[in-house]
Amino acid sequence: MIRIGFENIDISMFAFSMLNQRPIISALEQYVNRGDNVDFATFTHNIGIDKKSYKNSQEYLDHATATIDSLKNFAKNNKNTTIFDHRLLSALKDRFFNTDNLDKFAVLTFDCSEYDESVKSAIFESVCNAPLKSVASYCVSDNDKISVFYAQKCLALTEDGFHWYTSRDKVSLFEGKNSIKDCNIMSLALCFEIAKTLNSLGKGDEELIFYYGEGKFIKASAQEIISNTNLNQEQKEQKAQEEAKQEAIEKQAKAELKAEQSQVRASLAPASINAQNVINSDIKFDKNDKYANSVAIYRAKQEQKINQALAKADEAYTIVKQGLAKNNTFNDCINFIKQKFGNDELLINFVMDNINADLATLKEKEQEILDKNAQIESLNSDKEKLNVKVAQAENEARKWNSSFQKKSIELEQTKQEYESTIARIKEEAQNAINALNAQIEKITNDYEDEIEGYQGTIERLDNVNKALQTSLNNEKATNAELIAKNVSLEQEVKAKNDEISELEKGLEEANNKKSKYWSQAGGYLLEAIKGGYQPTDDEIDLYDIRQELETQTQSNLFTDDGGSGGSSRSRQR
């Protein structure tokens, strides 16, 4: 549900700084013939109407007045222009198109607090984008409420063309049987846009409501607003006739009911009164449908009777209750209301229904009382049983209390004995401590000199210990350095060992090759010696042929006469 509020406001409450449209011009712009590629801003500039901002109401009024004059002059001098809908030209010359009521303002508020943010946003957008009817307006939102501030001078398009109207000081949900000049043109347009938005969101059953007095309101669902707004002129006239006919029927029913209640009029019989009402009615009843008209009047009359009886029912019912409270008989009370309100059977029936309802309620209350009394008796029985149990518990409590007192006395005696024992033990302990302190003091005096000597020795030993500790620290530091150097040397040795291993390996391989080579070379050398060559010791050592030479010497291989090879070799060397 959307609650609608309406309020007339002073021109000073209209925030002209919020006005982002051009007064009057913006209301016309929607009716420009776009097919002619008209630059509307250029058109308004050419006739001396430019967009501007307003600091106060006087600037607005001055500009609005100048705009009206410019438009009226344009309409007067450009009868064949195609820039506007041709029907609008007559509205620009309309005698109602003047500066009257330009300072009348109002505000419409739409309370949307019952909806979530998406619905609120959609409604606000539809309100802000609604086709402009007022010569000046703007809308604001505080989340829950949407407020539309507007000038009450509006442009309206009806079946017979455009007209300038001042919107009424009320809220109109749709035209109904009234002409548009009797409605609030702004609320018609805004409610229609809101209704379309609600319907598109699947909320066509949601209602718009406006309270215009204590308990007085008008309301309609979104679908009702749409269907009524979309009625063509013929449908509107037909609906207006039906509403007027219903109004005449209700008027006729009231007249007949009044005649029945008054029974007899001195100057005019009830039938004449009825006839006179029919004659004075503006509605012509269908002569061929008298039965339908009679039924309609009868129903309306019955509704009137019911409404009248209901209006007096509460008061009559109160009178009967008060009479019964004063010990009056029921018949006396009924007779009293008959005297006061007339012999109205419906009223008496309503009162009887209320009394019967009270009696039924009274019987229910009596039964409730009986039930409560039964519960009370049951509770009283339970109470007696509980009282017996409480008495038994109290006896037990007394027994326990007596035992507790005896135990308390015994505990107190035990406590006193314990405290006495503790005091005695404390005294004996203190005496022992005093004797021990005396012995300690005597021993201390006897050995004081010896202790002083020990203290000197201890000091000397402390100094020696400190020196040794210093030396030990130095040794530790030196040891740490040596360990570090040892690690470094071990790494170097390892590297050297690895290098030597590589060299030894290479040397071994070389020796192997050399041995193989020189074993062969030694054979050549021996042959050379046999041929008379005199080898040196180095050659003999190098080729490892010493043993072979010794063997050769012994067998006289070096000389032809069998002389000693050794002497000869020694000589050669």
Side-chain angles (χ1 to χ4, degrees):
M1 178 182 291
I2 297 179
R3 294 175 179 83
I4 306 173
F6 171 83
E7 182 184 1
N8 290 111
I9 61 172
D10 187 80
I11 191 172
S12 61
M13 295 177 64
F14 192 88
F16 288 99
S17 60
M18 297 283 292
L19 189 63
N20 57 6
Q21 66 181 70
R22 289 176 290 179
I24 301 172
I25 289 298
S26 293
L28 304 177
E29 190 169 0
Q30 58 189 302
Y31 302 110
V32 171
N33 288 323
R34 302 295 182 184
D36 293 343
N37 296 321
V38 175
D39 184 349
F40 193 68
T42 302
F43 161 73
T44 54
H45 174 74
N46 291 338
I47 63 174
I49 305 172
D50 290 317
K51 184 177 181 179
K52 63 173 296 184
S53 57
Y54 306 99
K55 297 179 180 178
N56 52 53
S57 58
Q58 192 56 53
E59 289 185 0
Y60 154 76
L61 291 172
D62 292 343
H63 190 238
T65 301
T67 300
I68 290 173
D69 291 340
S70 297
L71 288 172
K72 295 184 82 168
N73 288 332
F74 172 80
K76 180 180 179 181
N77 299 321
N78 297 272
K79 296 180 180 181
N80 297 322
T81 183
T82 58
I83 188 171
F84 292 125
D85 186 309
H86 68 280
R87 294 172 295 177
L88 187 56
L89 290 175
S90 60
L92 295 178
K93 297 183 292 185
D94 195 321
R95 61 188 180 89
F96 296 109
F97 186 38
N98 49 45
T99 58
D100 294 346
N101 297 329
L102 283 177
D103 57 350
K104 288 189 66 176
F105 288 85
V107 58
L108 283 165
T109 58
F110 301 92
D111 185 348
C112 305
S113 56
E114 295 184 6
Y115 301 108
D116 59 31
E117 293 302 321
S118 60
V119 176
K120 292 176 188 175
S121 177
I123 293 174
F124 179 68
E125 185 177 356
S126 67
V127 168
C128 291
N129 295 329
L132 299 173
K133 304 293 183 181
S134 170
V135 297
S137 65
Y138 65 87
C139 63
V140 295
S141 172
D142 66 350
N143 193 33
D144 284 339
K145 289 185 177 181
I146 302 169
S147 299
V148 180
F149 293 81
Y150 64 95
Q152 290 183 262
K153 195 175 187 70
C154 298
L155 176 66
L157 176 59
T158 64
E159 293 294 332
D160 57 346
F162 291 91
H163 296 282
W164 295 95
Y165 294 117
T166 299
S167 64
R168 299 304 184 195
D169 297 339
K170 61 179 183 180
V171 170
S172 304
L173 301 180
F174 43 80
E175 288 184 40
K177 63 183 180 181
N178 297 322
S179 66
I180 197 167
K181 65 181 180 181
D182 295 322
C183 299
N184 184 331
I185 301 172
M186 282 294 288
S187 73
L188 286 177
L190 293 172
C191 288
F192 181 58
E193 294 299 324
I194 293 174
K196 288 194 298 183
T197 300
L198 289 174
N199 196 52
S200 68
L201 296 174
K203 299 181 179 295
D205 293 333
E206 292 292 315
E207 292 181 328
L208 283 74
I209 186 168
F210 169 64
Y211 291 93
Y212 59 91
E214 187 67 28
K216 299 178 180 179
F217 59 87
I218 58 171
K219 67 178 181 178
S221 68
Q223 290 180 345
E224 289 174 339
I225 292 173
I226 294 171
S227 61
N228 279 279
T229 304
N230 289 334
L231 291 176
N232 57 35
Q233 187 61 28
E234 182 179 351
Q235 290 171 322
K236 289 179 182 179
E237 291 177 357
Q238 182 179 356
K239 183 177 179 180
Q241 288 179 1
E242 291 175 355
E243 291 176 352
K245 181 178 179 180
Q246 183 62 32
E247 185 178 349
I249 288 173
E250 292 176 359
K251 183 177 179 182
Q252 179 71 19
K254 287 181 181 179
E256 291 186 9
L257 184 59
K258 184 176 181 181
E260 290 177 3
Q261 291 172 345
S262 62
Q263 296 296 322
V264 178
R265 292 281 299 275
S267 60
L268 195 62
S272 299
I273 293 174
N274 295 346
Q276 185 182 27
N277 282 323
V278 174
I279 293 171
N280 291 338
S281 174
D282 293 332
I283 303 302
K284 304 302 181 182
F285 294 107
D286 187 355
K287 294 179 180 180
N288 297 322
D289 199 8
K290 292 181 180 180
Y291 175 76
N293 293 332
S294 299
V295 170
I297 292 172
Y298 174 77
R299 286 178 176 171
K301 185 165 62 176
Q302 294 303 315
E303 289 178 1
Q304 291 294 327
K305 286 181 180 181
I306 292 171
N307 291 335
Q308 289 178 2
L310 286 174
K312 297 178 287 186
D314 289 341
E315 184 181 357
Y317 172 61
T318 302
I319 291 172
V320 172
K321 284 203 304 183
Q322 291 174 348
L324 293 174
K326 295 177 181 178
N327 295 323
N328 294 328
T329 65
F330 182 72
N331 289 333
D332 290 340
C333 295
I334 293 297
N335 289 332
F336 182 78
I337 62 173
K338 285 182 178 179
Q339 292 174 3
K340 180 170 180 133
F341 299 109
N343 191 13
D344 190 337
E345 292 184 4
L346 279 174
L347 176 60
I348 294 172
N349 288 336
F350 285 149
V351 173
M352 291 294 292
D353 287 341
N354 286 331
I355 295 296
N356 290 332
D358 286 345
L359 290 174
T361 302
L362 182 60
K363 288 181 180 179
E364 292 177 359
K365 295 296 182 184
E366 288 175 349
Q367 185 60 45
E368 287 182 9
I369 291 172
L370 292 174
D371 294 340
K372 294 297 182 184
N373 288 334
Q375 291 179 7
I376 291 171
E377 290 179 2
S378 176
L379 291 172
N380 286 332
S381 177
D382 293 340
K383 180 181 177 183
E384 291 298 328
K385 293 177 182 179
L386 288 173
N387 287 334
V388 173
K389 290 183 179 180
V390 169
Q392 293 173 351
E394 288 176 347
N395 291 330
E396 285 294 319
R398 281 193 290 270
K399 292 178 182 179
W400 280 106
N401 189 38
S402 177
S403 299
F404 176 74
Q405 289 177 351
K406 291 179 182 179
K407 293 297 181 182
S408 296
I409 294 171
E410 293 175 358
L411 181 62
E412 183 64 26
Q413 292 174 349
T414 303
K415 178 182 177 183
Q416 291 176 358
E417 293 175 357
Y418 175 75
E419 289 178 348
S420 177
T421 302
I422 292 296
R424 180 174 54 79
I425 292 173
K426 283 184 177 179
E427 184 178 359
E428 292 175 355
Q430 186 62 47
N431 292 334
I433 290 170
N434 292 337
L436 182 60
N437 287 335
Q439 292 179 1
I440 292 172
E441 184 177 358
K442 182 176 181 303
I443 293 171
T444 302
N445 291 332
D446 292 342
Y447 294 101
E448 185 174 3
D449 294 338
E450 186 176 354
I451 290 171
E452 289 178 356
Y454 287 152
Q455 287 178 345
T457 303
I458 290 170
E459 290 177 358
R460 287 194 299 276
L461 292 174
D462 284 342
N463 292 332
V464 172
N465 184 48
K466 289 178 181 178
L468 291 174
Q469 187 66 40
T470 301
S471 176
L472 177 62
N473 291 336
N474 292 335
E475 289 297 330
K476 285 181 178 179
T478 302
N479 186 47
E481 291 177 359
L482 291 175
I483 289 172
K485 289 180 179 180
N486 184 49
V487 171
S488 177
L489 289 173
E490 286 179 351
Q491 291 176 348
E492 290 181 5
V493 168
K494 184 178 182 300
K496 291 295 183 181
N497 288 335
D498 292 342
E499 185 177 351
I500 290 169
S501 297
E502 291 294 325
L503 292 173
E504 287 178 346
K505 183 178 180 181
L507 180 60
E508 184 179 358
E509 292 176 354
N511 286 334
N512 290 334
K513 292 179 180 180
K514 183 179 72 175
S515 297
K516 182 179 180 181
Y517 172 76
W518 291 122
S519 62
Q520 295 176 356
Y524 292 117
L525 181 60
L526 287 174
E527 292 297 326
I529 293 171
K530 288 179 179 182
Y533 177 71
Q534 295 297 319
T536 65
D537 289 340
D538 290 336
E539 287 176 330
I540 294 171
D541 291 337
L542 178 64
Y543 301 132
D544 197 18
I545 59 172
R546 185 178 301 277
Q547 188 65 35
E548 184 67 26
L549 287 175
E550 290 294 335
T551 303
Q552 292 293 338
T553 302
Q554 292 175 6
S555 58
N556 295 320
L557 294 175
F558 297 102
T559 61
D560 294 333
D561 58 0
S564 176
S567 298
S568 176
R569 184 181 63 174
S570 298
R571 189 172 52 251
Q572 292 295 329
R573 292 177 181 170

